[in-house]
Amino acid sequence: MSPFTTRVLDLTTGSRETVTDLTSECTAFLHEAANGRDGLLNVFVPHATAGVAVLETGAGSDDDLLAILRDLLPADDRWRHRHGTPGHGRDHVLPALVAPHATLPVVGGELALGTWQSVCLVDTNISNVNRQVRLSFLG
């Protein structure tokens, strides 16, 4: 088994702002790639307008995140980056607040998240519905 394994997920996020839970995809990838070993999982989004967050989902935190991003980064005409949908320049600022990557511990081949933590793609760019997420295991 190679000490470094990678896989690319192709996702369609839709035409609205989204927080997409990737935890099950990460778990399935580690089942094959880690094979019971300790290591690190890196989750990387190769896009200028999306990020990766570790947070609770399903209890409102994902919606709260999108709400605060709308407050911090309004979709209006203040942005110098102006191509695309109105306010699209804010999407290019998003990765400065929600990084396009996360590196997470893997123990015994399992993702070592806290009880309520999930790995999520955060995407506010309604103009680009096709996304890739690279999962890489080093162990």
Side-chain angles (χ1 to χ4, degrees), residues 25-138:
E25 288 87 346
C26 293
T27 299
F29 169 69
L30 289 172
H31 181 73
E32 296 173 21
N35 197 28
R37 294 177 294 158
D38 293 352
L40 295 171
L41 172 68
N42 183 263
V43 182
F44 176 71
V45 182
H47 299 285
T49 59
V52 175
V54 177
L55 75 157
E56 180 180 8
T57 58
S61 297
D62 37 355
D63 292 330
D64 289 342
L65 174 60
L66 292 175
I68 195 67
L69 289 173
R70 281 190 290 276
D71 289 347
L72 292 171
L73 305 171
D76 58 23
D77 64 356
R78 74 183 67 200
W79 308 102
R80 289 187 179 102
H81 186 104
R82 293 186 183 263
H83 77 84
T85 57
H88 174 65
R90 76 179 188 126
D91 300 325
H92 287 274
V93 177
L94 173 74
L97 300 176
V98 181
H101 60 87
T103 301
L104 306 163
V106 176
V107 178
E110 301 289 328
L111 194 53
L113 292 173
T115 302
W116 303 111
Q117 290 181 315
S118 297
V119 182
C120 300
L121 169 68
V122 179
D123 188 1
T124 60
N125 182 357
I126 62 172
S127 297
N128 185 359
V129 300
N130 298 312
R131 296 297 187 176
Q132 290 188 328
V133 178
R134 179 175 298 277
L135 304 178
S136 301
F137 174 72
L138 178 63

